[in-house]
Every structure is written in C-alpha cells, then in structure tokens.
Amino acid sequence: MKRFHCSCGAEIFFDNTRCLNCEQDLGFDPATLRMFTIQDAKGGFVTEVGESGPRFRLCEHRPENVLSCNWLIAEDDSHDECVSCRLTRIIPHLSIPKNVKRWRILEDAKRRMIYNLLNNRLTFETREENPEQGLVFDFLEDRRSNPLVSEEHIYTGHNSGVITINAAEADPEYRVAVREEMNERYRTNLGHFRHEIGHYYWMRLIQNTHWEAEFTSLFGDPYWDYDISLKNYYENGPRADWQEYHISAYASMHPLEDWAETWAHYLHMNDALETAVSFNVLKLEFRRDNFRQIFAKWMELAVAMNALNRSVGKFDAYPFVIKHMVYRKLEFIRRVVTEARESAAPAVFSACGSSGAPIN
Ligand SMILES: [Zn+2]
Ligand SMILES: [Zn+2]
Ligand SMILES: [Zn+2]
C-alpha cells in the first residue's frame, strides 16, 4: 500500500479519520487512491482543504461508534455508503455488542482488499449491476458465535459473486484455534478476503476465456468434482509432496482452491512490495519490471520481514516457501492481471468507483 502524509507533513495511515498531529479530518478518495484533509462545504458536502472541488460526501459508516470508514463518495454518486461498504449485504446482529467490533474488523480487512482491486484496475460489478454474478459480501454468524441463530456451521466461501465470511473469523481466539486445528501456517482476515476474491476473479477472468487452457495445464482441471476433492482432502490430508506444487497444503485440495490461494499470495506480494517501495525500503517499478526481478525482490523482502518479526518476538510474517511450480502460477496470475488492467475501459472502471492512475 502507498504511504500517506497529511498536509501538515505528519505520517497518516489508511484507516485514519483524523490526523493525530494537526487534528484535521481526513478522507480517502477511492477514485484517485488519495488521502487528504477535508473541510465542510455547503449542502452536506466536503472538499479537500484549500481546494474548491471536486466535492464529496462522507460514507454513512464514518461515525466512530460504527465503522470509522474514512472513504469518500463522489458528488454524482447517489449512494449513502462508499464503494466498499455498499458491497456488504448481511452483517452480524448488532444487538450483540461484540458484533459491532466483528463487523468493523471485517470491513477494515475488506477495504484493504478493495484498495488492491482498485489499485490494479481489477473491475467488479455490484449485485445491483449484475443480480446473478455481481459481487456481494455476507458476514454470517453460526451457533459458535451466537447461540440464538439456527445455523450450526457457516463456512467461509464464494459462490457466483457471493462471498460469505463467518463473522467469528474476526475473533483472534477463534482464528488461532482453527489455524491450530487445521495445521495452517497463516490465517488472517485479509488473507480470507484475498482468497475469496480470487474465486470471484477466476469466474470473471479465466472461466470461458482464452486463459482457461493454460489455467488447466498449470493448476489442473477446474471442473473436477469439488465435493469428492474436499472429502478426500479432509479424510486423507494433502499429498505428501504438496510443497513442490502448491503455495499451501489447502491449495492442493482442488485446482480452484490452488488458484484462490495463489491469487491471495499475488495480492500479498503486490501490496507488500508497494509498501516497501513507499517507505524507501527497496526500489522497484511493479508495472514495468519483469516478473523474475519482481519475484526476486519479493523473496528478499519476505526474508527481511520474517527476520524483523523474529527480532521483536513474533512469528514469521510470511511463513511460505515458493517452489518453481508456484512461481509459474504466480507469473500466470501476473499476466492475467496485467491484461485485465490494460483492457479496463475508463467507463467500466468508473462503475466500480475508480478512474485512478496506476499507482505502484
Ligand atoms: Zn496533519
Ligand atoms: Zn464506507
Ligand atoms: Zn476457496
């Protein structure tokens, strides 16, 4: 992610609604991926401090007792929610006080993932625009987090644009328990969002396109029986040599899970490299350099991140080994994303609220 500075010069962060140094209010414009100080303008609008236009409205979830969402809504956009918040269809029951916190944690991670999409010009349709396959998020509870609901088990997953997240994933104790039970190395909310959106983009960018044959040769047949693969995986565990072919054990379950896991890693890499460049940790032009160079820098950075984490008594930030086959899959995703970005027409692009220039 980009590094942001307030007009007073202080460092500000993606989630800030106010500068802690000069106390001016801040807003993030998803169309330009800029964060700036805002001032009230007439008629319920705000503008950038010192600028006469454009005008924006605040996301209705900006209040601190709700989501503290700092995203701005363009003047000609009639929605009350920003481009990220409006994608959520179902939220956990707010009569349970803990659920406000859960909702907020999930939205924070989702907003960061949506930033990745906008930054890569990966377009999406809302459910309003495409009732069959438009993107929408349901944050659902099951008995484990709310004894009053009827569902025993809610599974995090994707189906035709609908991304379901079990609201309990917002609880650190739940995440750690599941991570240990499943013998996973890494489990985060941001990771869930990046994985699930990978399924959405498979449907959008790979299925029935010229990429499908190459996808099959690299990842396997996407139409293999999913239920049988799932049953196999949970009964017998991953294949013994999964590390040679897959980024994670779970990726070995089915070609579509392999894609979603690898896609999530592409976004991890993309975002972490942008952050490192923003903070002058390394020099790289993500859009222009060749993938071999980019990948070499990523490996260098991941080793350094892990060493830094261990220095302060934390686990590895990026506990993964990337073998040649996984490199080839990441390189494929890079080509798919590059083609999608280059073919994103400005008119289509504005539909998801962004006309932004390439950033990283
Ligand atoms: Zn400031
Ligand atoms: Zn919002
Ligand atoms: Zn999946």
Side-chain angles (χ1 to χ4, degrees):
M1 175 163 292
K2 279 204 296 179
R3 188 178 189 180
F4 300 102
H5 288 97
C6 177
S7 53
C8 75
E11 184 107 33
I12 47 175
F13 298 97
F14 185 59
D15 300 316
N16 289 164
T17 49
R18 177 170 290 199
C19 171
L20 295 177
N21 184 47
C22 70
E23 301 204 333
Q24 290 189 90
D25 288 331
L26 299 167
F28 176 82
D29 175 16
T32 56
L33 306 183
R34 286 181 62 239
M35 182 123 138
F36 43 80
T37 49
I38 51 173
Q39 64 192 2
D40 285 334
K42 284 184 188 130
F45 292 98
V46 297
T47 57
E48 183 171 357
V49 168
E51 303 285 326
S52 52
R55 302 199 304 170
F56 304 92
R57 280 176 302 114
L58 302 174
C59 175
E60 74 169 2
H61 302 303
R62 186 175 174 103
E64 268 170 39
N65 59 353
V66 201
L67 296 179
S68 279
C69 174
N70 62 0
W71 284 29
L72 301 171
I73 303 166
E75 182 175 4
D76 60 0
D77 181 337
S78 59
H79 292 84
D80 294 325
E81 297 174 291
C82 71
V83 291
S84 177
C85 289
R86 79 183 60 153
L87 294 171
T88 303
R89 182 172 62 182
I90 302 177
I91 61 170
H93 296 271
L94 297 185
S95 52
I96 298 179
K98 202 172 180 183
N99 277 342
V100 179
K101 191 176 168 196
R102 287 183 177 130
W103 180 29
R104 187 174 173 142
I105 288 170
L106 295 176
E107 291 291 352
D108 284 351
K110 171 165 147 269
R111 226 178 283 121
R112 197 165 273 265
M113 180 277 288
I114 299 290
Y115 169 94
N116 295 145
L117 305 185
L118 300 177
N119 194 18
N120 281 292
R121 293 196 182 197
L122 286 163
T123 59
F124 51 84
E125 293 170 307
T126 64
R127 216 66 181 170
E128 258 172 40
E129 290 158 342
N130 181 345
E132 263 89 59
Q133 294 196 320
L135 185 59
V136 70
F137 292 82
D138 291 340
F139 301 151
L140 302 183
E141 297 171 274
D142 62 25
R143 289 257 177 91
R144 291 172 293 181
S145 59
N146 182 355
L148 302 175
V149 297
S150 56
E151 293 83 0
E152 284 290 341
H153 276 91
I154 290 292
Y155 293 99
T156 290
H158 166 267
N159 185 14
S160 295
V162 180
I163 292 179
T164 303
I165 305 276
N166 185 329
E169 290 286 347
D171 302 347
E173 63 275 22
Y174 174 87
R175 256 189 345 268
V176 171
V178 176
R179 193 187 70 206
E180 292 302 310
E181 189 191 322
M182 312 284 277
N183 200 19
E184 293 172 345
R185 296 175 184 183
Y186 173 99
R187 191 177 186 91
T188 65
N189 285 307
L190 184 55
H192 284 319
F193 282 104
R194 286 179 174 162
H195 172 106
E196 299 307 336
I197 204 73
H199 287 300
Y200 173 76
Y201 281 103
W202 185 84
M203 181 183 80
R204 204 164 155 83
L205 302 177
I206 308 290
Q207 191 172 30
N208 303 322
T209 73
H210 70 95
W211 293 113
E212 209 178 277
E214 191 176 352
F215 172 89
T216 304
S217 75
L218 276 171
F219 292 84
D221 183 351
Y223 303 105
W224 273 344
D225 192 306
Y226 189 91
D227 292 337
I228 291 175
S229 301
L230 187 71
K231 193 164 170 278
N232 252 339
Y233 180 77
Y234 286 113
E235 279 176 9
N236 308 316
R239 56 188 282 183
D241 58 350
W242 64 264
Q243 289 217 34
E244 293 298 320
Y245 304 96
H246 307 283
I247 188 69
S248 65
Y250 184 67
S252 69
M253 194 271 270
H254 188 277
L256 292 177
E257 295 309 330
D258 194 11
W259 161 268
E261 284 286 90
T262 316
W263 173 277
H265 280 259
Y266 183 81
L267 294 185
H268 292 333
M269 175 179 77
N270 184 256
D271 200 329
L273 283 172
E274 188 187 35
T275 306
V277 169
S278 292
F279 280 82
N280 288 319
V281 173
L282 57 84
K283 288 207 181 334
L284 179 73
E285 286 210 56
F286 198 85
R287 296 275 158 87
R288 293 201 192 95
D289 290 353
N290 74 44
F291 188 69
R292 195 162 286 283
Q293 277 173 307
I294 292 167
F295 183 74
K297 294 272 189 187
W298 169 232
M299 286 292 89
E300 222 176 276
L301 182 68
V303 169
M305 288 195 317
N306 289 345
L308 285 169
N309 258 25
R310 283 181 227 144
S311 302
V312 291
K314 297 242 179 189
F315 293 118
D316 285 357
Y318 189 76
F320 299 96
V321 175
I322 297 184
K323 295 287 183 77
H324 181 66
M325 263 313 290
V326 178
Y327 168 84
R328 287 184 55 203
K329 291 172 187 176
L330 285 166
E331 193 272 336
F332 174 71
I333 292 174
R334 153 95 169 169
R335 281 185 284 126
V336 172
V337 170
T338 302
E339 187 192 83
R341 183 172 63 234
E342 286 168 1
S343 63
V348 176
F349 197 45
S350 67
C352 71
S354 182
S355 58
I359 302 295
N360 59 358

mmCIF file of all heavy atoms in Angstrom, residues 29-51:
data_model
loop_
_atom_site.group_PDB
_atom_site.id
_atom_site.type_symbol
_atom_site.label_atom_id
_atom_site.label_comp_id
_atom_site.label_asym_id
_atom_site.label_seq_id
_atom_site.Cartn_x
_atom_site.Cartn_y
_atom_site.Cartn_z
ATOM 1 N N ASP A 29 -10.116 9.053 -1.028
ATOM 2 C CA ASP A 29 -10.890 9.058 -2.272
ATOM 3 C C ASP A 29 -10.555 7.791 -3.064
ATOM 4 O O ASP A 29 -9.452 7.672 -3.608
ATOM 5 C CB ASP A 29 -10.528 10.310 -3.079
ATOM 6 C CG ASP A 29 -11.207 10.307 -4.453
ATOM 7 O OD1 ASP A 29 -12.167 9.530 -4.646
ATOM 8 O OD2 ASP A 29 -10.773 11.086 -5.328
ATOM 9 N N PRO A 30 -11.487 6.829 -3.144
ATOM 10 C CA PRO A 30 -11.179 5.575 -3.836
ATOM 11 C C PRO A 30 -10.965 5.737 -5.344
ATOM 12 O O PRO A 30 -10.402 4.863 -5.986
ATOM 13 C CB PRO A 30 -12.399 4.684 -3.546
ATOM 14 C CG PRO A 30 -13.481 5.601 -3.119
ATOM 15 C CD PRO A 30 -12.831 6.816 -2.539
ATOM 16 N N ALA A 31 -11.395 6.867 -5.914
ATOM 17 C CA ALA A 31 -11.211 7.073 -7.355
ATOM 18 C C ALA A 31 -9.764 7.408 -7.696
ATOM 19 O O ALA A 31 -9.268 7.057 -8.756
ATOM 20 C CB ALA A 31 -12.136 8.177 -7.853
ATOM 21 N N THR A 32 -9.102 8.107 -6.803
ATOM 22 C CA THR A 32 -7.705 8.505 -7.076
ATOM 23 C C THR A 32 -6.743 7.828 -6.105
ATOM 24 O O THR A 32 -5.527 8.005 -6.226
ATOM 25 C CB THR A 32 -7.548 10.037 -6.923
ATOM 26 O OG1 THR A 32 -7.990 10.400 -5.607
ATOM 27 C CG2 THR A 32 -8.375 10.783 -7.952
ATOM 28 N N LEU A 33 -7.262 7.075 -5.165
ATOM 29 C CA LEU A 33 -6.473 6.395 -4.123
ATOM 30 C C LEU A 33 -5.633 7.410 -3.329
ATOM 31 O O LEU A 33 -4.524 7.105 -2.905
ATOM 32 C CB LEU A 33 -5.584 5.294 -4.725
ATOM 33 C CG LEU A 33 -6.277 4.240 -5.595
ATOM 34 C CD1 LEU A 33 -5.281 3.181 -6.043
ATOM 35 C CD2 LEU A 33 -7.436 3.575 -4.853
ATOM 36 N N ARG A 34 -6.197 8.589 -3.146
ATOM 37 C CA ARG A 34 -5.511 9.632 -2.366
ATOM 38 C C ARG A 34 -6.198 9.816 -1.023
ATOM 39 O O ARG A 34 -7.408 9.663 -0.910
ATOM 40 C CB ARG A 34 -5.537 10.968 -3.118
ATOM 41 C CG ARG A 34 -4.590 11.037 -4.306
ATOM 42 C CD ARG A 34 -4.690 12.408 -4.967
ATOM 43 N NE ARG A 34 -4.290 13.465 -4.046
ATOM 44 C CZ ARG A 34 -5.069 14.491 -3.674
ATOM 45 N NH1 ARG A 34 -6.286 14.627 -4.150
ATOM 46 N NH2 ARG A 34 -4.616 15.398 -2.821
ATOM 47 N N MET A 35 -5.376 10.199 -0.041
ATOM 48 C CA MET A 35 -5.919 10.515 1.286
ATOM 49 C C MET A 35 -5.552 11.965 1.560
ATOM 50 O O MET A 35 -4.415 12.369 1.323
ATOM 51 C CB MET A 35 -5.226 9.602 2.283
ATOM 52 C CG MET A 35 -5.705 9.776 3.661
ATOM 53 S SD MET A 35 -6.270 8.183 4.219
ATOM 54 C CE MET A 35 -5.625 8.222 5.822
ATOM 55 N N PHE A 36 -6.520 12.764 2.008
ATOM 56 C CA PHE A 36 -6.230 14.187 2.218
ATOM 57 C C PHE A 36 -7.106 14.757 3.325
ATOM 58 O O PHE A 36 -8.087 14.138 3.743
ATOM 59 C CB PHE A 36 -6.407 14.987 0.915
ATOM 60 C CG PHE A 36 -7.637 14.623 0.116
ATOM 61 C CD1 PHE A 36 -8.885 15.115 0.466
ATOM 62 C CD2 PHE A 36 -7.544 13.780 -1.001
ATOM 63 C CE1 PHE A 36 -10.014 14.786 -0.274
ATOM 64 C CE2 PHE A 36 -8.671 13.439 -1.739
ATOM 65 C CZ PHE A 36 -9.903 13.941 -1.378
ATOM 66 N N THR A 37 -6.728 15.968 3.780
ATOM 67 C CA THR A 37 -7.521 16.633 4.813
ATOM 68 C C THR A 37 -8.764 17.218 4.151
ATOM 69 O O THR A 37 -8.722 17.693 3.018
ATOM 70 C CB THR A 37 -6.713 17.753 5.503
ATOM 71 O OG1 THR A 37 -6.119 18.576 4.496
ATOM 72 C CG2 THR A 37 -5.621 17.173 6.376
ATOM 73 N N ILE A 38 -9.876 17.154 4.873
ATOM 74 C CA ILE A 38 -11.144 17.606 4.290
ATOM 75 C C ILE A 38 -11.765 18.717 5.135
ATOM 76 O O ILE A 38 -11.484 18.839 6.332
ATOM 77 C CB ILE A 38 -12.152 16.433 4.157
ATOM 78 C CG1 ILE A 38 -12.298 15.667 5.477
ATOM 79 C CG2 ILE A 38 -11.741 15.496 3.033
ATOM 80 C CD1 ILE A 38 -13.390 14.607 5.475
ATOM 81 N N GLN A 39 -12.577 19.528 4.476
ATOM 82 C CA GLN A 39 -13.290 20.604 5.159
ATOM 83 C C GLN A 39 -14.747 20.575 4.704
ATOM 84 O O GLN A 39 -15.049 20.122 3.591
ATOM 85 C CB GLN A 39 -12.652 21.959 4.824
ATOM 86 C CG GLN A 39 -12.776 22.296 3.337
ATOM 87 C CD GLN A 39 -11.927 23.474 2.890
ATOM 88 O OE1 GLN A 39 -11.193 24.061 3.671
ATOM 89 N NE2 GLN A 39 -12.036 23.826 1.608
ATOM 90 N N ASP A 40 -15.646 21.077 5.561
ATOM 91 C CA ASP A 40 -17.059 21.120 5.188
ATOM 92 C C ASP A 40 -17.275 22.096 4.039
ATOM 93 O O ASP A 40 -16.672 23.171 4.003
ATOM 94 C CB ASP A 40 -17.902 21.574 6.394
ATOM 95 C CG ASP A 40 -18.029 20.441 7.409
ATOM 96 O OD1 ASP A 40 -17.927 19.268 6.986
ATOM 97 O OD2 ASP A 40 -18.200 20.727 8.601
ATOM 98 N N ALA A 41 -18.121 21.684 3.100
ATOM 99 C CA ALA A 41 -18.553 22.600 2.045
ATOM 100 C C ALA A 41 -20.074 22.694 2.187
ATOM 101 O O ALA A 41 -20.669 21.951 2.966
ATOM 102 C CB ALA A 41 -18.161 22.045 0.680
ATOM 103 N N LYS A 42 -20.713 23.534 1.419
ATOM 104 C CA LYS A 42 -22.168 23.709 1.575
ATOM 105 C C LYS A 42 -22.948 22.451 1.171
ATOM 106 O O LYS A 42 -22.474 21.669 0.364
ATOM 107 C CB LYS A 42 -22.621 24.888 0.712
ATOM 108 C CG LYS A 42 -22.256 26.225 1.314
ATOM 109 C CD LYS A 42 -22.817 27.362 0.465
ATOM 110 C CE LYS A 42 -22.273 28.687 0.989
ATOM 111 N NZ LYS A 42 -21.701 29.513 -0.059
ATOM 112 N N GLY A 43 -24.122 22.292 1.734
ATOM 113 C CA GLY A 43 -25.054 21.242 1.307
ATOM 114 C C GLY A 43 -24.657 19.835 1.714
ATOM 115 O O GLY A 43 -24.998 18.871 1.034
ATOM 116 N N GLY A 44 -23.934 19.685 2.813
ATOM 117 C CA GLY A 44 -23.572 18.349 3.286
ATOM 118 C C GLY A 44 -22.386 17.743 2.562
ATOM 119 O O GLY A 44 -22.111 16.556 2.695
ATOM 120 N N PHE A 45 -21.699 18.550 1.771
ATOM 121 C CA PHE A 45 -20.525 18.036 1.060
ATOM 122 C C PHE A 45 -19.237 18.419 1.783
ATOM 123 O O PHE A 45 -19.229 19.305 2.644
ATOM 124 C CB PHE A 45 -20.487 18.608 -0.373
ATOM 125 C CG PHE A 45 -21.595 18.100 -1.238
ATOM 126 C CD1 PHE A 45 -22.752 18.859 -1.443
ATOM 127 C CD2 PHE A 45 -21.500 16.858 -1.856
ATOM 128 C CE1 PHE A 45 -23.782 18.388 -2.235
ATOM 129 C CE2 PHE A 45 -22.532 16.374 -2.662
ATOM 130 C CZ PHE A 45 -23.674 17.142 -2.844
ATOM 131 N N VAL A 46 -18.161 17.738 1.396
ATOM 132 C CA VAL A 46 -16.827 18.137 1.862
ATOM 133 C C VAL A 46 -15.930 18.302 0.632
ATOM 134 O O VAL A 46 -16.213 17.754 -0.431
ATOM 135 C CB VAL A 46 -16.193 17.097 2.823
ATOM 136 C CG1 VAL A 46 -17.005 16.937 4.097
ATOM 137 C CG2 VAL A 46 -15.991 15.735 2.141
ATOM 138 N N THR A 47 -14.858 19.068 0.812
ATOM 139 C CA THR A 47 -13.837 19.190 -0.244
ATOM 140 C C THR A 47 -12.478 19.041 0.417
ATOM 141 O O THR A 47 -12.365 19.069 1.644
ATOM 142 C CB THR A 47 -13.862 20.577 -0.938
ATOM 143 O OG1 THR A 47 -13.684 21.569 0.082
ATOM 144 C CG2 THR A 47 -15.133 20.830 -1.691
ATOM 145 N N GLU A 48 -11.477 18.885 -0.424
ATOM 146 C CA GLU A 48 -10.118 18.845 0.104
ATOM 147 C C GLU A 48 -9.789 20.236 0.660
ATOM 148 O O GLU A 48 -10.170 21.253 0.072
ATOM 149 C CB GLU A 48 -9.139 18.476 -1.028
ATOM 150 C CG GLU A 48 -7.719 18.336 -0.546
ATOM 151 C CD GLU A 48 -6.777 17.752 -1.617
ATOM 152 O OE1 GLU A 48 -7.259 17.406 -2.721
ATOM 153 O OE2 GLU A 48 -5.585 17.633 -1.321
ATOM 154 N N VAL A 49 -9.104 20.296 1.791
ATOM 155 C CA VAL A 49 -8.752 21.589 2.384
ATOM 156 C C VAL A 49 -7.921 22.393 1.387
ATOM 157 O O VAL A 49 -6.977 21.870 0.791
ATOM 158 C CB VAL A 49 -7.975 21.382 3.716
ATOM 159 C CG1 VAL A 49 -7.340 22.682 4.189
ATOM 160 C CG2 VAL A 49 -8.894 20.812 4.781
ATOM 161 N N GLY A 50 -8.339 23.632 1.179
ATOM 162 C CA GLY A 50 -7.595 24.507 0.271
ATOM 163 C C GLY A 50 -7.979 24.351 -1.194
ATOM 164 O O GLY A 50 -7.456 25.036 -2.055
ATOM 165 N N GLU A 51 -8.910 23.427 -1.496
ATOM 166 C CA GLU A 51 -9.317 23.203 -2.891
ATOM 167 C C GLU A 51 -10.783 23.591 -3.043
ATOM 168 O O GLU A 51 -11.570 23.446 -2.117
ATOM 169 C CB GLU A 51 -9.182 21.715 -3.265
ATOM 170 C CG GLU A 51 -7.799 21.131 -3.075
ATOM 171 C CD GLU A 51 -6.825 21.568 -4.154
ATOM 172 O OE1 GLU A 51 -7.266 21.748 -5.302
ATOM 173 O OE2 GLU A 51 -5.632 21.735 -3.831
#
